[in-house]
Amino acid sequence: MLRIKEKMTVLASQAGATLRNHPAEVALSVAAFAVACYDYEDREGRSWDVMLSYYPVVFLFTYTLNRLLKRGMGRWAYYLSPLLWIPFYLLPEQPLFTTTYAVSWLLIQLFYLSSGWERDNKRFLEGGFAYLRSLFFAGGFSVVTWLLTGSIYKSIFYIFDLGYGDGFARLMAYTGYGVFLVLFPFLFLLFNRRKETGWEGFGKLFGILLNYVLSPALLVYAAILYLYFVKITLTWSLPKGGVAAISVGFIIAAFLLRGCQAFVERRMYDWFYRHASLWTLPALAMFWVATAYRVAQYGFTEPRVYLVVVGLILTATVLLFLTRRWGRYLYVACLTIGLFGVVTYIPGITAKDIERVSQKARGNYPERERTEETYIYISSDLPVDIQGYNTLVDIRNQTHPSDTLTVYDADTLVYREAYDVLLEKQLEKVGLSRTSDSIPESVYPDLLRIELDSSAIVLEQLNLRRDSLFHVNYIEGAYYLKR
């Protein structure tokens, strides 16, 4: 009993120290709780959703300033930093998870991790593990608290026949706001005060995971990319568009696992990770070829601008890690903050601005005035390119369900896809989406051609309808090419 009392005393002392050391963060959490409750009750007024969605970003920014500005006049910048949350109310209502929001969320994480200015890679990653550990424990306790509280409320309302009306819904909403806007941040502050990295006792398990699961999987990944690299080199062909994303995943995984080698006693794959910059060069080359081709063919779009930025960061990472002196995760994090910040926040050179200039040069801006619903007919006068195929099968007489394209070769089903899913994939292939404002005529031939593993389908016409999205009305004719 005495031991429990001592632990409670220590916990109370730590909680008090957290309140004293983080007054701005706590004040911001309480303000977020009040705003969320007000927003719940004021259902007729303007939504506060955008402001609430940026609360974690402002909270972590305030917390990072607390870490950087310990004393002096600069300390006032920390105390006033919660006020930066207020302007987010002035932003127009928008989807909660926009590109700008996603980039802001990423950059604030990197800003926090870089704020300690740890040049040593192991120390830098230890800080990241400590941060994740604190988030994990705080999130775990918060979720359990929310579930238990909800169970208690539900039991009371059920046992005493109180009914599940607005009162119960309001109670559950307020509880959720209290747990995730106040308790969760407070627990994070409490757990993150401790200096341990949380790595002790986990090293052996991670060593097994790294040596026998993650590293072998990465090597298989590398082998596949190398085989594909050899194939396109021998055939002197362009890599597929999706190879850019695959290459990005491979390079990021290679350098993250390279850093994790510092925490493993038995380093079975040092021969690979020590020369990660060299091993990733073919993937980097395929990335730039695929990306450059897409940009040259279809111009810049907002996602493609960010893809190029990612490519610049990965290229810099590969070059930095060629030497011991410059191979620092800290420098990569700072470079990421700088480049993403430029194309996200600086007017005139944002990703959206670059897209507008690029597409305007191709005649896609300004957009033509539209009625509520417009139609577009996608066809091509170019002859069907059968190079690389031995047989062309006329399948124009095949019938399809009203919302699905189905293709048979004799009695064998070779392709089936819902119209809108098909359209989404074809648009993505040329760097567009169903929410795009227009479809340039230059991409029509690519939209009409569906590439399969060892065959292809060529459509005669796509009849599209656009309201807020593009939809397929019907598909006319098709040819099936096979080797």
Side-chain angles (χ1 to χ4, degrees):
M1 186 69 179
L2 184 60
R3 186 173 179 80
I4 295 176
K5 185 177 180 181
E6 289 175 352
K7 288 186 176 181
M8 293 300 294
T9 302
V10 171
L11 183 60
S13 175
Q14 291 179 344
T18 300
L19 288 171
R20 291 191 301 273
N21 295 329
H22 302 280
E25 293 95 318
V26 173
L28 181 61
S29 299
V30 173
F33 172 75
V35 168
C37 293
Y38 177 81
D39 186 50
Y40 180 84
E41 297 295 343
D42 185 34
R43 302 184 185 184
E44 301 299 323
R46 176 179 171 175
S47 173
W48 296 67
D49 286 348
V50 174
M51 188 177 181
L52 289 170
S53 69
Y54 276 92
Y55 157 69
V57 175
V58 178
F59 179 89
L60 191 54
F61 179 74
T62 299
Y63 178 63
T64 306
L65 287 186
N66 192 4
R67 181 181 184 180
L68 293 172
L69 307 174
K70 291 293 185 183
R71 57 184 64 86
M73 292 299 294
R75 187 68 176 167
W76 281 103
Y78 157 70
Y79 290 128
L80 296 175
S81 59
L83 298 178
L84 294 173
W85 191 44
I86 297 175
F88 286 101
Y89 177 72
L90 303 177
L91 292 177
E93 293 189 32
Q94 55 188 272
L96 295 183
F97 299 103
T98 60
T99 302
T100 301
Y101 177 80
V103 171
S104 300
W105 187 90
L106 170 66
L107 296 192
I108 196 60
Q109 314 300 315
L110 295 176
F111 177 57
Y112 167 74
L113 294 176
S114 305
S115 62
W117 203 250
E118 288 288 356
R119 291 186 177 87
D120 182 79
N121 286 335
K122 185 176 181 181
R123 294 287 298 276
F124 183 88
L125 291 176
E126 281 178 343
F129 287 132
Y131 173 65
L132 292 175
R133 179 211 61 191
S134 301
L135 285 176
F136 177 78
F137 285 143
F141 277 114
S142 298
V143 169
V144 169
T145 301
W146 182 61
L147 292 175
L148 286 176
T149 306
S151 286
I152 292 170
Y153 287 161
K154 200 162 188 177
S155 298
I156 293 173
F157 275 71
Y158 176 75
I159 292 172
F160 297 102
D161 296 320
L162 298 178
Y164 298 106
D166 289 342
F168 178 75
R170 180 176 289 106
L171 200 58
M172 289 302 298
Y174 284 10
T175 301
Y177 298 148
V179 167
F180 293 108
L181 297 179
V182 179
L183 179 64
F184 173 50
F186 182 79
L187 290 176
F188 167 73
L189 297 174
L190 179 64
F191 290 131
N192 214 42
R193 288 181 66 245
R194 301 177 63 186
K195 300 299 183 184
E196 308 92 77
T197 64
W199 191 257
E200 297 77 9
F202 188 63
K204 288 185 178 180
L205 177 61
F206 186 75
I208 294 172
L209 185 65
L210 184 64
N211 286 332
Y212 298 101
V213 179
L214 298 178
S215 292
L218 184 66
L219 293 179
V220 172
Y221 200 168
I224 294 170
L225 282 175
Y226 268 79
L227 287 173
Y228 184 67
F229 180 76
V230 171
K231 174 191 171 184
I232 63 173
T233 301
L234 293 176
T235 58
W236 202 244
S237 58
L238 290 168
K240 295 181 178 179
V243 170
I246 296 172
S247 299
V248 167
F250 170 68
I251 297 171
I252 291 175
F255 281 98
L256 283 179
L257 295 183
R258 181 190 189 278
C260 292
Q261 288 288 296
F263 302 95
V264 178
E265 293 181 4
R266 186 185 179 193
R267 300 184 181 184
M268 299 173 59
Y269 300 94
D270 255 6
W271 58 270
F272 177 83
Y273 292 115
R274 191 184 297 115
H275 306 291
S277 289
L278 299 178
W279 288 111
T280 54
L281 282 177
L284 189 63
M286 288 191 291
F287 167 86
W288 280 117
V289 171
T291 302
Y293 175 75
R294 290 293 170 187
V295 172
Q297 287 290 104
Y298 311 116
F300 278 106
T301 60
E302 189 176 11
R304 214 167 277 146
V305 172
Y306 281 110
L307 185 64
V308 170
V309 170
V310 169
L312 292 174
I313 294 167
L314 294 181
T315 302
T317 302
V318 168
L319 295 176
L320 287 171
F321 277 87
L322 283 172
T323 65
R324 289 180 177 272
R325 180 180 179 183
W326 294 104
R328 299 286 182 263
Y329 292 109
L330 173 65
Y331 300 155
V332 175
C334 292
L335 180 65
T336 303
I337 293 171
L339 291 181
F340 269 96
V342 165
V343 299
T344 303
Y345 305 117
I346 299 182
I349 54 174
T350 65
K352 197 65 181 175
D353 292 327
I354 295 172
E355 176 191 57
R356 184 175 63 253
V357 171
S358 176
Q359 295 302 321
K360 187 175 182 179
R362 294 171 174 270
N364 297 329
Y365 280 84
E367 308 300 336
R368 293 188 298 270
E369 291 294 324
R370 289 192 176 89
T371 58
E372 289 187 3
E373 196 171 78
T374 56
Y375 295 87
I376 181 172
Y377 302 92
I378 294 178
S379 60
S380 175
D381 296 330
L382 297 175
V384 177
D385 182 9
I386 62 172
Q387 184 176 359
Y389 298 96
N390 299 321
T391 306
L392 183 148
V393 181
D394 187 343
I395 51 175
R396 287 177 294 178
N397 60 344
Q398 292 188 12
T399 58
H400 314 287
S402 59
D403 61 351
T404 305
L405 176 65
T406 58
V407 175
Y408 288 88
D409 181 20
D411 294 328
T412 303
L413 177 68
V414 295
Y415 184 81
R416 173 179 288 161
E417 193 71 276
Y419 278 171
D420 284 345
V421 176
L422 164 63
L423 179 61
E424 189 168 352
K425 290 181 178 179
Q426 293 297 96
L427 288 172
E428 183 180 3
K429 182 175 69 173
V430 297
L432 301 173
S433 70
R434 291 176 62 202
T435 60
S436 296
D437 292 317
S438 65
I439 300 177
E441 291 186 8
S442 59
V443 303
Y444 282 11
D446 289 317
L447 292 179
L448 293 169
R449 192 179 184 95
I450 305 168
E451 298 289 348
L452 305 178
D453 289 338
S454 59
S455 57
I457 298 168
V458 181
L459 307 176
E460 281 193 336
Q461 186 182 92
L462 278 170
N463 181 289
L464 307 183
R465 179 186 82 257
R466 188 184 189 281
D467 38 45
S468 59
L469 298 172
F470 281 109
H471 306 272
V472 176
N473 277 344
Y474 61 86
I475 294 174
E476 283 187 2
Y479 296 96
Y480 177 59
L481 308 178
K482 59 182 182 179
R483 292 185 173 91

